[in-house]
Amino acid sequence: MVILRTSPTSPYGRKARIAAAVLGLHEQVKVDWADTRASEGSLYEQNPLAKVPTLLLENGDIVYDSRVALELLDTLAGGGKIIPADDSRISVLTKQAMADGITDAAIQAQIETRNHPEEHWNRTWIDRQQGKVDHTLKAFNDRPLPTPSETNGIPDCAQIALACSLGYLDLRANGEWRQNNPKLVRWHDAFVAQVPAYNETQAPEMLERS
Ligand SMILES: N[C@@H](CCC(=O)N[C@@H](CS)C(=O)NCC(=O)O)C(=O)O
């Protein structure tokens, strides 16, 4: 049994939860919620960075971050399922990094606005981070990823990461990404319809809104 330490709202943890589901690893992966705001406790002992997702393996090994977690889960499921083993591997991993980068930049902007009163916001920093989000969304809108049904039927790690990034923007940035990215909206709709684990891993706040 793998213990997946995550939080209900973490977009990175959600990647691992969706990956476990689409790989059919329900019996082998158990979610254990972690408090990422605590300044001490078990998560610190398990991962010096105290970040989620953190995976505790049966043999005592501990694995992070989300990209390594997806690699591990793919291996547990036999390999080559959500991370291609063929020539497309590096390209798909790069797209995963791009998609994660949307979340990374959005979180940086969020931290600035959450931690300071508006008159002290560093607007240059916020604009820089928002620019990264907007450019990367445009890149995915201009050249949409295939949907899971157009590839091997289950989502690959890039598709999972992009869906989780868009879910994070819906949760924390009022879904504003939808305004200028109609092809990405269609891609997201298709992903949601094709991957039940997406709705099954919605943050509680999103469920309350719907
Ligand atoms: N690059 C990491 C990012 C993980 C991450 O930043 N997780 C956040 C939750 S969304 C976290 O644990 N934050 C707590 C902290 O930074 O103290 C990954 O892909 O797993």
Side-chain angles (χ1 to χ4, degrees):
M1 174 73 72
V2 173
I3 309 291
L4 166 57
R5 306 231 52 210
T6 186
S7 74
T9 54
S10 169
Y12 307 103
R14 191 180 191 186
K15 286 173 62 188
R17 291 162 69 201
I18 292 176
V22 301
L23 289 166
L25 295 172
H26 301 89
E27 303 287 313
Q28 285 120 289
V29 178
K30 180 171 172 286
V31 171
D32 180 23
W33 299 130
D35 182 1
T36 52
R37 288 160 306 179
S39 49
E40 55 184 24
S42 57
L43 191 59
Y44 271 89
E45 284 148 30
Q46 292 154 353
N47 174 350
L49 297 167
K51 286 179 183 263
V52 295
T54 294
L55 276 60
L56 317 180
L57 311 192
E58 264 177 9
N59 67 1
D61 285 352
I62 300 183
V63 167
Y64 38 85
D65 59 3
S66 67
R67 293 184 212 169
V68 186
L70 265 54
E71 180 97 40
L72 173 96
L73 295 172
D74 192 51
T75 304
L76 283 182
K81 297 198 164 65
I82 61 169
I83 301 180
D86 62 16
D87 289 351
S88 66
R89 178 182 169 83
I90 295 297
S91 164
V92 169
L93 288 171
T94 303
K95 300 265 169 44
Q96 176 183 211
M98 264 173 78
D100 284 345
I102 295 173
T103 308
D104 295 343
I107 286 178
Q108 288 299 319
Q110 284 283 323
I111 288 172
E112 182 65 21
T113 55
R114 202 188 309 140
N115 290 350
H116 306 289
E118 193 167 346
E119 62 271 25
H120 291 149
W121 287 355
N122 181 338
R123 291 192 182 272
T124 309
W125 175 255
I126 294 171
D127 290 350
R128 188 175 156 82
Q129 300 308 319
Q130 189 59 45
K132 290 175 196 282
V133 171
D134 293 344
H135 279 117
T136 312
L137 288 172
K138 183 176 183 318
F140 278 123
N141 188 67
D142 289 349
R143 301 188 65 184
L145 295 181
T147 65
S149 67
E150 289 165 341
T151 46
N152 69 353
I154 67 167
D156 65 30
C157 61
Q159 294 164 349
I160 294 170
L162 181 57
C164 291
S165 292
L166 299 176
Y168 181 77
L169 296 178
D170 278 337
L171 177 67
R172 298 287 185 232
N174 303 317
E176 282 161 12
W177 66 272
R178 293 165 179 277
Q179 283 164 18
N180 296 326
N181 298 291
K183 286 196 251 175
L184 204 46
V185 172
R186 284 198 290 282
W187 180 88
H188 181 256
D189 288 347
F191 185 95
V192 174
Q194 292 168 21
V195 183
Y198 184 84
N199 276 333
E200 290 162 12
T201 56
Q202 282 284 17
E205 289 152 82
M206 286 302 287
L207 293 173
E208 281 163 23
R209 281 184 217 170
S210 59

